[in-house]
Amino acid sequence: MRTFDLVVLVAFLVYIVWDGARHGRGVKDAKDYLLAGRRMRWWSMGLSVMATQASAITLISTTGQGFKDGMRFLHMYLAIPFAMVLLCATVVPWFHKAGVFTAYQWLETRFDRKTRLLASLVFLVSRALAVGSVLYTPSIVMSVGLGIPPWQSILAMGLLCTLYTAIGGATAVIVTDAKQMLVMMAGIVACIAVAWWKLPDDVGLRGVLDLAGAADKLQTFHVPANWREMLADKYNILSSLLGGFFLFLGYFGADQEQVQRYLAGSSVEQSRKSLLLSGFAKVPMQFVILLLGVLIWGHYSYSADPPFFRAHQIEAEIARREEAGDAAGASGLRVRLEELQGTHDALEGERKSAAAEFLRLRREGAQSGDHALDVPVVRLRGAEAGLAAVRKEGMALLVSEGLEKEGVDNDSDYVFTHFLKTEVPVGVAGLVLAAIFAAAMSSLVSPINSLATSSVVDVWWLLRGGPSAPAATVRATRIATVVWGVLATISAFWMGGVPIIEQVNKIGSVVYGSLFGVFILGRLVPRARGAVGAISLASGIATVLLVRQLSVEPELQTRWLGIAEPVKIEFMWFNLVGFVAVMAVGWLLSRFAPAAPPPAPASR
Amino acid sequence: MNDAAGSGGPPDDEAAGEARSRRAMGWALAWGFITLALLAWFTRAYEY
């Protein structure tokens, strides 16, 4: 890494830690520490909501998705504007009126203590499982960009974030998140500018978009052909607008990580507007980030790239073996790498030739649907499939040499870092690295802050039989912040494997639909009271786990349900399944429940 | 304009805030549909 880039990065990290920690001085009571004194303006909370969701994963893994699969991943976010409007009409005013610190406190006012405890435990477990992934991601950048082992990066990030979150509380989280989001946006714009500038003059943006379209990389609105495809395909318009809708209702409406950001608003209006900022900006932002991946793909279609983006690890292993005197081992590995490079170069030649033919025909006036374009399009897609197979072989080589775990296929997570290291000019690379760290920090401090808050308010207060004194609450939450920060750091050492962004969303999809369902059940079904909340929530999650198992092991569908042609169900649908199961079980149980007076207010 | 505190109604700024945020929600809903239309057009424009 170049010195100037390092200076930019270190200066940014020092500023963020100082800026976060200085807000610890203004903390007088629990409301100050947990909810930033409920003084926040909408734009500050809105940027924090966006920064919490947009992690380093968003920059690194999403760009890789754009490179590998094109823009289909955008389907994931299409339901956000609709989900935000529904949340503004429902939980935002409910939580404000109840004056709660956590979303789960509201459940006690409506159901009982058990429901509150179960919902908070579901949040604590699911968020704890995901938080390690968030911290693991920047270690990829560090290991490639700075040439240091990933564990050093994990340790540094974990400690810095824990430090300023523990001192400054929710104010530190929101204020630094907002600034980090602005840095992240600047980094994205800088990368787009560099990727655009690097495109060959005779191809340009228009040419690359045409080629990407021909390579089937610009599908942002995919309509499934039948119901089986609708369920089995991760990203199509129906899974997005139905499954994704409930995913985001759960994430923004029932996950304390996000709820705590907008509960800091000075009024319902401020909190609503903070959520609506994501409703307006999230889809365009993701579009731009995926487009960046497509532009990087366009750039590497015309310039030298490695056979796979983790090839540097094979080269390092060759050097290690040579140093250790294992000449035969080093030579064997070199031959296999050169074979991959040879196949890759041949396929890349074929892709360039097909691309040139395609662009020539387009310049001559051929339009979408013209049969003249069929041959170059088929050749282009064939070369693309071949290059993807080479990257898979590269990953298999890493696994066979013991450099990666079995079943791991995350080469696309290294595309962005390779581009950053080899193509982005000095100074700009420092800004982009700062943006990646901003993204990583903003999405790490929010879960640590909310895990600590829920541990104290929903678990510790219930165990001790009521709320503690303000000073004791602040002290306990600071201790819990340190504990969660350390646990997140430790769990990050075991992360890796499946493309990171999907891992995080898959964990969430098991619980989000059910969690949000129990809030709506509480409002729509007046007779659902007491333990009905906890039973419905547990039933919803159990149903999702069952459906997931049936999808993972399709033979169970035949054995248990007699389905001759088993159905695959992708994780986006789990959110809808959980929501429907909670509502159905809750409504059914409420039919048998005696009419009872509403429960006492929450123990706070 | 409501007749403010004392009569049990919400204060003016709260009612105005409610109206403003409802307008913003309406715009967000419209934006959701506009986004879908634009993306459908984008996909169609680059389909080969």
Side-chain angles (χ1 to χ4, degrees):
Chain A
M1 190 184 185
R2 293 154 294 199
T3 314
F4 185 66
D5 291 332
L6 194 62
V7 170
V8 172
L9 176 63
V10 170
F12 171 74
L13 291 177
V14 170
Y15 171 73
I16 285 295
V17 172
W18 169 79
D19 190 37
R22 77 193 171 97
H23 288 98
R25 282 200 303 253
V27 171
K28 291 187 197 71
D29 55 25
K31 194 171 84 172
D32 282 337
Y33 191 73
L34 304 181
L35 295 180
R38 287 195 196 272
R39 282 186 297 264
M40 288 289 160
R41 305 289 295 172
W42 68 269
W43 53 268
S44 176
M45 290 183 294
L47 286 171
S48 178
V49 164
M50 287 185 75
T52 298
Q53 191 189 12
S55 60
I57 291 168
T58 307
L59 273 175
I60 298 170
S61 203
T62 308
T63 323
Q65 289 257 349
F67 178 95
K68 191 174 90 168
D69 295 328
M71 305 199 51
R72 284 193 70 173
F73 185 63
L74 191 67
H75 283 93
M76 177 93 206
Y77 299 95
L78 298 185
I80 285 191
F82 307 107
M84 290 310 197
V85 171
L86 186 61
L87 291 172
C88 286
T90 55
V91 295
V92 174
W94 301 350
F95 293 159
H96 258 275
K97 197 174 167 197
V100 290
F101 288 114
T102 74
Y104 318 115
Q105 275 180 294
W106 185 87
L107 289 176
E108 186 176 348
T109 66
R110 182 55 193 77
F111 293 102
D112 62 358
R113 199 162 289 184
K114 286 190 212 79
T115 308
R116 171 181 173 186
L117 191 61
L118 180 64
S120 62
L121 288 176
V122 166
F123 158 71
L124 290 171
V125 172
S126 61
R127 187 45 55 194
L129 284 171
V131 76
S133 304
V134 171
L135 187 49
Y136 169 81
T137 312
S139 70
I140 294 176
V141 188
M142 276 300 229
S143 60
V144 176
L146 289 179
I148 63 170
W151 70 266
Q152 288 182 8
S153 149
I154 291 172
L155 202 61
M157 290 285 299
L159 291 180
L160 289 178
C161 288
T162 305
L163 178 74
Y164 79 78
T165 310
I167 297 173
T171 311
V173 171
I174 293 173
V175 168
T176 55
D177 272 5
K179 290 173 184 168
Q180 285 161 344
M181 191 64 218
L182 295 176
V183 171
M184 210 187 317
M185 285 173 168
I188 293 166
V189 170
C191 279
I192 284 276
V194 171
W196 195 337
W197 167 55
K198 290 270 173 182
L199 294 176
D201 290 340
D202 58 335
V203 178
L205 180 65
R206 210 189 165 102
V208 164
L209 287 179
D210 260 345
L211 284 176
D216 202 19
K217 284 184 184 291
L218 297 185
Q219 284 225 18
T220 54
F221 194 97
H222 176 68
V223 182
N226 53 52
W227 67 272
R228 277 185 183 274
E229 189 195 335
M230 179 186 85
L231 294 176
D233 180 18
K234 260 183 292 194
Y235 305 122
N236 63 66
I237 194 69
L238 293 173
S239 67
S240 167
L241 292 182
L242 292 171
F245 181 61
F246 287 94
L247 168 66
F248 291 116
L249 286 176
Y251 175 56
F252 290 103
D255 187 323
Q256 180 64 17
E257 166 180 295
Q258 287 291 5
V259 173
Q260 201 168 347
R261 302 310 116 222
Y262 59 80
L263 278 184
S266 56
S267 66
V268 172
E269 180 195 1
Q270 296 295 319
S271 297
R272 277 176 170 164
K273 284 183 173 173
S274 72
L275 278 181
L276 293 177
L277 182 64
S278 280
F280 281 105
K282 185 67 184 174
V283 175
M285 191 179 98
Q286 289 300 130
F287 182 94
V288 169
I289 296 173
L290 284 164
L291 188 66
L292 173 61
V294 170
L295 291 184
I296 293 175
W297 170 83
H299 166 69
Y300 285 128
S301 295
Y302 287 94
S303 61
D305 59 335
F308 65 110
F309 289 90
R310 295 183 67 179
H312 62 277
Q313 285 174 282
I314 296 288
E315 280 157 11
E317 178 64 11
I318 291 170
R320 192 193 65 76
R321 286 182 188 183
E322 280 170 347
E323 253 179 50
D326 180 11
S331 157
L333 203 50
R334 189 182 300 282
V335 167
R336 294 183 68 186
L337 187 58
E338 282 170 0
E339 279 171 6
L340 285 178
Q341 186 73 57
T343 315
H344 171 270
D345 292 349
L347 286 163
E348 207 165 61
E350 165 68 4
R351 181 169 65 182
K352 270 187 195 150
S353 153
E357 173 72 1
F358 176 83
L359 289 179
R360 184 183 64 76
L361 289 167
R362 285 284 287 135
R363 275 193 285 268
E364 287 170 4
Q367 296 292 322
S368 168
D370 284 1
H371 289 302
L373 292 173
D374 289 353
V375 174
V377 166
V378 169
R379 281 178 63 205
L380 192 67
R381 289 184 187 179
E384 270 298 306
L387 287 163
V390 169
R391 286 194 287 273
K392 268 202 181 304
E393 274 185 57
M395 285 305 300
L397 182 61
L398 277 176
V399 172
S400 69
E401 295 301 322
L403 298 169
E404 187 49 273
K405 284 176 270 183
E406 186 73 41
V408 171
D409 182 18
N410 64 353
D411 192 55
S412 61
D413 287 341
Y414 289 73
V415 171
F416 184 69
T417 53
H418 182 80
F419 179 76
L420 186 61
K421 199 178 175 190
T422 56
E423 309 294 339
V424 179
V426 69
V428 180
L431 171 69
V432 177
L433 274 173
I436 293 168
F437 275 87
M441 292 167 100
S442 62
S443 52
L444 179 62
V445 294
S446 296
I448 292 177
N449 178 238
S450 56
L451 283 165
T453 302
S454 184
S455 307
V456 169
V457 172
D458 296 317
V459 181
W460 187 57
W461 281 8
L462 286 186
L463 289 177
R464 69 187 295 282
S468 51
T473 299
V474 173
R475 196 167 49 244
T477 315
R478 281 203 165 118
I479 293 169
T481 304
V482 173
V483 170
W484 279 112
V486 170
L487 286 177
T489 309
I490 293 170
S491 72
F493 290 122
W494 281 276
M495 284 298 156
V498 300
I500 305 159
I501 193 148
E502 284 188 14
Q503 192 173 323
V504 171
N505 290 328
K506 278 178 183 169
I507 293 170
S509 291
V510 172
V511 298
Y512 281 146
S514 306
L515 263 182
F516 187 70
V518 82
F519 285 89
I520 297 297
L521 178 72
R523 199 69 185 195
L524 290 189
V525 185
R527 282 175 68 105
R529 291 199 188 95
V532 169
I535 296 169
S536 307
L537 176 57
S539 308
I541 294 171
T543 309
V544 170
L545 290 173
L546 177 69
V547 170
R548 184 181 172 278
Q549 203 55 32
L550 287 171
S551 183
V552 172
E553 294 182 57
E555 65 274 11
L556 292 179
Q557 295 180 33
T558 314
R559 204 182 316 153
W560 292 353
L561 306 171
I563 297 174
E565 219 180 317
V567 185
K568 186 172 183 280
I569 302 172
E570 265 300 339
F571 71 91
M572 291 280 272
W573 292 102
F574 296 165
N575 302 287
L576 176 63
V577 169
F579 180 83
V580 171
V582 166
M583 293 302 288
V585 172
W587 178 80
L588 207 63
L589 289 177
S590 72
R591 298 294 93 195
F592 302 105
S603 55
R604 285 289 161 86
Chain B
M1 187 166 160
N2 69 62
D3 48 6
S7 65
D12 282 350
D13 56 346
E14 201 179 308
E18 179 69 17
R20 277 194 302 270
S21 57
R22 280 186 184 277
R23 251 195 320 273
M25 286 155 66
W27 280 113
L29 199 60
W31 175 241
F33 287 110
I34 292 168
T35 308
L36 289 179
L38 286 173
L39 292 176
W41 167 82
F42 178 79
T43 301
R44 190 94 183 95
Y46 289 101
E47 209 166 40
Y48 291 100

